[in-house]
Amino acid sequence: NNWVLGLFLCVLTTSFITEGKLVNGKWEIEQDILVIGHRGAPSFRPEETFSSYEVASYQGADFIEIDLCVTKDAYLICRHECDLSVTTDIAEREEFTSRKRKSMFSVKDNEGYYSEDFTLEEIRTLRAKERLPSDIRTHQFDYLFQVITLDEFLQFVSGINNQTGNYRCNWNEEIPSIGVYIETKTPSHFRSLGYDMEGKLLDSLHKWGYEDKCKESRDIDDPANWAISCGVILQSF
């Protein structure tokens, strides 16, 4: 799919949209910065939660960045750490103690509770927490929010973009809709377990209209402006 290839390539060029000109013999760069809400607004709320994404949207993010892991029953969930003990209360849940194990992927040989060992129903019972110490980030909102799925996130963004009026701070009139910046975590690992992470991601993007938007924008030459028009950027680690 050419539109998918374009989404991956544009990640290299969307941090800044730049225009240069000579002024008094010196080259000056004018920069229009794209604001990326990385995992939402993790300095204010636990990362990768509805509340974190909502705060990012209020603060004027042009794109909200999320990370994806896979559950045992093949749902894509919004987590940067596929070891759920890092950002949820799973290690405090006695019913899951026996599932702690060493990673099959990390070179650090870490022990943890990995997303592929738990169904979405089980993960729904967990509550998110801040992963960094309290002298760096607030823990005021620990244990209040659930882990959410990719489709729930895309529905959330759709709801914001379909609202009438504007409530976003620092709103950029040239980027009226919030875009999604999606990172797949260790897809080769999940593929080795039999999960089609990329296929499910593309199915969700199609469901929520991003494929059509990208195809409609195919005549835009500049990759960064094309990404803004599409409303989606993809990357993978």
Side-chain angles (χ1 to χ4, degrees), residues 6 18 43-44 51 59 70 82 88-89 143 154 169 171 197 230:
T18 61
S43 292
F44 298 88
S51 187
Q59 292 178 338
V70 185
C82 296
T88 78
D89 62 351
Y143 311 121
L154 295 177
C169 299
W171 182 65
M197 194 177 197
C230 288

Side-chain angles (χ1 to χ4, degrees), residues 136-201:
I136 298 177
R137 288 185 183 166
T138 180
H139 285 249
Q140 180 182 356
F141 301 97
D142 284 2
Y143 311 121
L144 295 180
F145 308 113
Q146 288 182 304
V147 176
I148 66 172
T149 66
L150 169 63
D151 278 316
E152 288 168 338
F153 168 75
L154 295 177
Q155 183 179 33
F156 163 78
V157 173
S158 176
I160 290 176
N161 289 338
N162 289 329
Q163 285 185 9
T164 57
N166 171 55
Y167 65 94
R168 294 164 61 198
C169 299
N170 303 314
W171 182 65
N172 185 344
E173 63 182 9
E174 296 181 358
I175 311 175
S177 298
I178 293 176
V180 298
Y181 192 137
I182 301 173
E183 177 181 327
T184 55
K185 305 299 293 185
T186 63
S188 59
H189 165 64
F190 287 114
R191 191 179 308 115
S192 73
L193 298 177
Y195 295 105
D196 183 11
M197 194 177 197
E198 296 87 352
K200 286 187 171 295
L201 170 56

Side-chain angles (χ1 to χ4, degrees), residues 49-208:
T49 62
F50 272 138
S51 187
S52 185
Y53 302 142
E54 184 176 37
V55 171
S57 68
Y58 278 122
Q59 292 178 338
D62 300 313
F63 282 76
I64 296 178
E65 190 264 357
I66 68 168
D67 305 273
L68 296 178
C69 298
V70 185
T71 70
K72 184 176 183 178
D73 45 353
Y75 286 91
L76 300 182
I77 58 171
C78 299
R79 290 288 94 186
H80 179 265
E81 312 294 341
C82 296
D83 174 3
L84 300 173
S85 65
V86 178
T87 58
T88 78
D89 62 351
I90 194 167
E92 303 164 33
R93 304 286 294 275
E94 293 183 0
E95 66 269 36
F96 298 134
T97 302
S98 63
R99 313 248 202 121
K100 187 176 183 179
R101 62 169 174 82
K102 291 184 177 180
S103 170
M104 294 185 291
F105 181 81
S106 174
V107 295
K108 297 180 180 179
D109 202 27
N110 293 336
E111 286 194 340
Y113 299 80
Y114 295 94
S115 64
E116 64 264 31
D117 295 337
F118 298 87
T119 66
L120 179 61
E121 183 178 2
E122 290 173 323
I123 291 172
R124 292 277 198 211
T125 69
L126 305 177
R127 293 297 179 268
K129 67 175 184 178
E130 174 53 50
R131 65 186 178 87
L132 297 178
S134 57
D135 60 335
I136 298 177
R137 288 185 183 166
T138 180
H139 285 249
Q140 180 182 356
F141 301 97
D142 284 2
Y143 311 121
L144 295 180
F145 308 113
Q146 288 182 304
V147 176
I148 66 172
T149 66
L150 169 63
D151 278 316
E152 288 168 338
F153 168 75
L154 295 177
Q155 183 179 33
F156 163 78
V157 173
S158 176
I160 290 176
N161 289 338
N162 289 329
Q163 285 185 9
T164 57
N166 171 55
Y167 65 94
R168 294 164 61 198
C169 299
N170 303 314
W171 182 65
N172 185 344
E173 63 182 9
E174 296 181 358
I175 311 175
S177 298
I178 293 176
V180 298
Y181 192 137
I182 301 173
E183 177 181 327
T184 55
K185 305 299 293 185
T186 63
S188 59
H189 165 64
F190 287 114
R191 191 179 308 115
S192 73
L193 298 177
Y195 295 105
D196 183 11
M197 194 177 197
E198 296 87 352
K200 286 187 171 295
L201 170 56
L202 294 180
D203 287 345
S204 290
L205 291 174
H206 174 76
K207 174 182 175 181
W208 291 99

